[in-house]
Amino acid sequence: MKTAASDKYRPYPTMKLAARRWPDAVIAAAPQWCSVDLRDGNQALIDPMDSHRKMRLWNTLVAMGFKQIEVGFPAASQTDYDFIRHLIEGGHIPDDVTIQILTQAREDLIRKSFEALEGANKVIVHLYNSTSEVQRRVVFGFDRQGCIDLALAGTRLVREMSAQRKGGEVTFQYSPESFTGTEPDFAVAIVEAVAAEWGATPERKMIVNLPATVEMSTPNIYADVIEWFCATVKNRDSLVVSVHPHNDRGTGVAAAELAVMAGADRVEGTLFGNGERTGNVDVCTLALNLFTQGIDPQLDLSDIDAIRRVAEECTGLPVHQRHPYAGELVYTAFSGSHQDAINKGFKARDKANSPVWEVPYLPIDPADVGRSYEAVIRINSQSGKGGVAFVLERDHGLELPKPFQAEFARVVQDHADREGRELAPEEIWLFFQRTYLADGRIQVVDYSTVPVSKGQRALTATLVVDGKERIVQGIGAGPVDAFVHALEKDLGVMVKIKDYHEHAIGQGSEAQAASYVAVAGADGAVVHGAALDASVTMAALKAIASALNRAR
C-alpha cells in the first residue's frame, strides 16, 4: 500500500458490553421484512426504473409475500410521486400490504409526501435526518441539539398531518441516518426524543430504523451496538427496532443476521442486494438462510429463477453466477469428488425415503427454489469418475461399476483437456458409444446354447471377425464361460474375466440388459467392455467382444 493505514484510518470504536447476550441467541422466526427495491435500490441504478418496470417489480414483491414495501421518495421525484398515485388510484395495493415512503425532515417535503399518499389505507411515513458526527460537523454545521430540533420539528408535522388524514393515522418510522457513524449515546437520545414527540406506546408503536448507511465495522460490533441500543433506549416495548444494513465491507448479510440475534425486529433490504456502492443487504439470501435452518422465511422463493429474471430485467443489473441460492452455477458441481459425493447423497436419500435434506455440498434442495437436479453435475477437465457416472445413470440408466467409471472418466477427461471446456451430456454419451458400443474387429451376431451334462452347457456363436463370418463353439459352466472357452479354442484368443456386472434398464417388454466386463489379456492388462441388448446373454457376449476390441 502506498499510504500507511495507521496514518490515515482509525479503527471503529468497540462497545464495552458487560455481558453480551446475542452470541447465545438463536433466530427462531423470520423478522419483519421491508423491501426497499423500488426506492433505495432504484436510486442506485444507472438508468432508474420507469413506471412499467416499477410496476412489474411491485407485482413480483407482492407475489413473494412482502407486507411492507418502500415505494419511493415522492417529494424528491415526480416519477416516484406518479407511481405512488398509480398504485393508490389503480387499486393495486392489497389490503394486507403497507406502502412506505421516505422523506427528509423538511416541511415542504413532508407536506408533498402526504399529498402523494391521499387515499392510501395502510402507510408508513419514513422520516430521516443524518445524525453522524462527521455529517453534523462537516456537512450541516449542527451540534447535537440542532440535529434533535430538526428531527422533532419533522416528527411534529408528521403527527399533525397524520391526525388529519381521512384514511386514518400513518405508522411512523424514524431513521437516525448514518447510524453507524453516530455516537451510540446520541442515537439513543434522539430516538427517545422523537418517540416522545410522536407519542409512541406499546399499542401505537413507532418503527425506529438503525441504518448501517455505510458499513463501517465487523458484524459483531454492529450487533453489540444494536444490543446496547435495545437494552438502553427507554420504552423499548413501544418501538419496532429495524435495521437497514449496507454491504461496504462485504458482510451485510452477516451483520443483519447478528443484528436480529441482538434484538432487531425488522430488516430492510433488496432482493439480491442492489443498492448504493456495494449494495443493500440481500433479502433473498437472508430468507433462504433461515429456510435452511428449518424456519419459514414468510417469503415465497419457490421459483428463484423467475424472481431473478424480473430483478435483472427491471434493474438492468445481472445477478452473479455464484450468487447465493440464485446464481446460475450454485447447484452445479465440477469437482470430481464433489460430484461423487452428491451422487451418493441423492442415492442415499432415495433409499432412506426421509424428508430430511442431507446431500453433501448442497445446503438446500434445488427443487425447493424451482431448480432442477439436471444442472447439479456437469463435466469438464476437473470432473471425476463420479460425475461422469452420474450423467450416464441420470440420462441413460447405466450403472457403471467403480473400476469401469475410473477407466471411462479418463477417456472423458482427455477430451475435456484437449477442448478446454465443459462437455455436454450428449457428448459424454457419444464418447461412451464410440468407446464401448461401436463395432470392432469381433462382432457377435448370434448364439445358441444347449445343456450337455450336469452344470455344463455348450455354446455355438456366430461371429464376424475382421469382416468374415466365423462359427465358434465351446463348453462351460454357463454361456459366458462357454464363450470364453470358444474364443480360446477356435480363435486362439486368451481371455480371463476379472469382473462382470449386469442390470436391467427400464421395465417390461421395452427393458434392455446392460453388461459390463473387465478382461485381463495375456499381458495382464485389464480393459473394460460394455454392451446393451434385449437379451441378457447376448449383452454379456457383446460386452466381452467390446473389451477384446478395445484391448486390440
Side-chain angles (χ1 to χ4, degrees), residues 163-245:
Q164 298 169 9
R165 280 189 85 241
K166 294 180 181 179
E169 278 203 320
V170 302
T171 299
F172 182 55
Q173 173 171 322
Y174 173 68
S175 284
E177 199 230 353
S178 295
F179 170 76
T180 44
T182 303
E183 307 93 315
D185 65 312
F186 179 54
V188 166
I190 196 168
V191 166
E192 288 178 345
V194 167
E197 184 66 43
W198 174 252
T201 66
E203 295 74 36
R204 186 173 179 258
K205 292 181 186 287
M206 180 184 91
I207 302 171
V208 52
N209 193 48
L210 304 177
T213 307
V214 178
E215 189 180 32
M216 302 170 71
S217 71
T218 51
N220 62 301
I221 294 178
Y222 184 58
D224 280 349
V225 178
I226 298 299
E227 180 175 306
W228 182 87
F229 180 94
C230 291
T232 305
V233 70
K234 293 178 183 176
N235 302 319
R236 170 67 177 87
D237 61 350
S238 299
L239 304 176
V240 174
V241 174
S242 174
V243 292
H244 180 112

Side-chain angles (χ1 to χ4, degrees), residues 93-294:
I93 306 172
D95 292 340
D96 61 347
V97 173
T98 302
I99 61 170
Q100 176 174 303
I101 61 94
L102 184 71
T103 180
Q104 290 173 311
R106 282 174 39 189
E107 181 177 353
D108 58 329
L109 301 182
I110 293 170
R111 291 189 183 280
K112 184 73 171 178
S113 298
F114 271 86
E115 178 185 303
L117 294 172
E118 185 176 347
N121 293 324
K122 300 173 74 173
V123 175
I124 297 171
V125 172
H126 181 188
L127 182 81
Y128 78 95
N129 66 310
S130 182
T131 58
S132 81
E133 189 279 328
V134 171
Q135 292 205 46
R136 294 197 317 265
R137 173 167 45 85
V138 174
V139 179
F140 302 109
F142 283 163
D143 59 11
R144 286 190 175 192
Q145 190 57 49
C147 197
I148 291 175
D149 290 343
L150 181 64
L152 292 181
T155 302
R156 194 174 302 118
L157 182 57
V158 172
R159 187 190 68 204
E160 292 171 0
M161 297 196 72
S162 176
Q164 298 169 9
R165 280 189 85 241
K166 294 180 181 179
E169 278 203 320
V170 302
T171 299
F172 182 55
Q173 173 171 322
Y174 173 68
S175 284
E177 199 230 353
S178 295
F179 170 76
T180 44
T182 303
E183 307 93 315
D185 65 312
F186 179 54
V188 166
I190 196 168
V191 166
E192 288 178 345
V194 167
E197 184 66 43
W198 174 252
T201 66
E203 295 74 36
R204 186 173 179 258
K205 292 181 186 287
M206 180 184 91
I207 302 171
V208 52
N209 193 48
L210 304 177
T213 307
V214 178
E215 189 180 32
M216 302 170 71
S217 71
T218 51
N220 62 301
I221 294 178
Y222 184 58
D224 280 349
V225 178
I226 298 299
E227 180 175 306
W228 182 87
F229 180 94
C230 291
T232 305
V233 70
K234 293 178 183 176
N235 302 319
R236 170 67 177 87
D237 61 350
S238 299
L239 304 176
V240 174
V241 174
S242 174
V243 292
H244 180 112
H246 277 249
N247 197 44
D248 297 88
R249 293 170 57 91
T251 56
V253 167
E257 290 178 325
L258 298 192
V260 171
M261 292 164 63
D265 308 302
R266 179 178 184 267
V267 176
E268 293 188 346
T270 58
L271 288 181
F272 298 106
N274 170 47
E276 295 280 15
R277 304 178 309 281
T278 56
N280 288 55
V281 72
D282 178 348
V283 172
C284 289
T285 297
L286 285 170
L288 287 170
N289 282 354
L290 291 175
F291 187 67
T292 66
Q293 304 306 301

Side-chain angles (χ1 to χ4, degrees), residues 32-37 57-58 60-70 94 96-98 267-271 283-284 287 298-301 307:
Q32 297 177 34
W33 302 114
C34 178
S35 161
V36 295
D37 292 84
L57 188 52
W58 161 268
T60 296
L61 296 170
V62 170
M64 289 176 65
F66 280 97
K67 302 306 179 187
Q68 298 177 15
I69 303 173
E70 190 165 83
D96 61 347
V97 173
T98 302
V267 176
E268 293 188 346
T270 58
L271 288 181
V283 172
C284 289
Q298 300 294 311
L299 292 175
D300 184 357
L301 293 153
I307 295 168

